Amino acid sequence: MTLVPGTRDEPADCIGFTTFQHRLAADPEFAGWIRPVREGIEKLAELESARTERVVVLQNRLSELIEFLDLKQVRFPSRLRDRLVLPESSEPRLLADWEG
């Protein structure tokens, strides 16, 4: 979901997945906004080393964003907020460590 800006009379709201997909296909400005995320995910998928570790870190950061955006757990209740855990053999690293 993506936040839709609010007005003085109406609060901000989120768009659903279908609307998101439509805007991604039909709105070049919106697609440009999401392009770095898409390219990062594609780049991540190409990496063989540390793939699992990066996915876990990414999932955890996205979970943090959801917690920030949905403090009252209106859209995502706590039962849907599980976080992945790094394998025991992995040590956490900064996302910047994988930048190439």
Side-chain angles (χ1 to χ4, degrees), residues 74-89:
V74 174
R75 300 276 182 177
F76 292 97
S78 60
R79 65 182 170 76
L80 298 177
R81 294 182 182 211
D82 291 340
R83 291 189 186 194
L84 299 174
V85 179
L86 286 172
E88 289 183 28
S89 62

Side-chain angles (χ1 to χ4, degrees), residues 17-28:
F17 183 72
T18 303
T19 303
F20 177 86
Q21 285 290 96
H22 175 73
R23 284 192 62 192
L24 191 60
D27 183 345

Side-chain angles (χ1 to χ4, degrees), residues 5-12:
T7 65
R8 186 172 193 191
D9 298 322
E10 292 187 29

Side-chain angles (χ1 to χ4, degrees), residues 32-47:
W33 176 80
I34 203 74
R35 185 173 296 114
V37 176
R38 175 179 276 174
E39 289 171 354
I41 291 170
E42 290 170 355
K43 189 175 180 182
L44 173 63
E46 292 172 3
L47 294 174

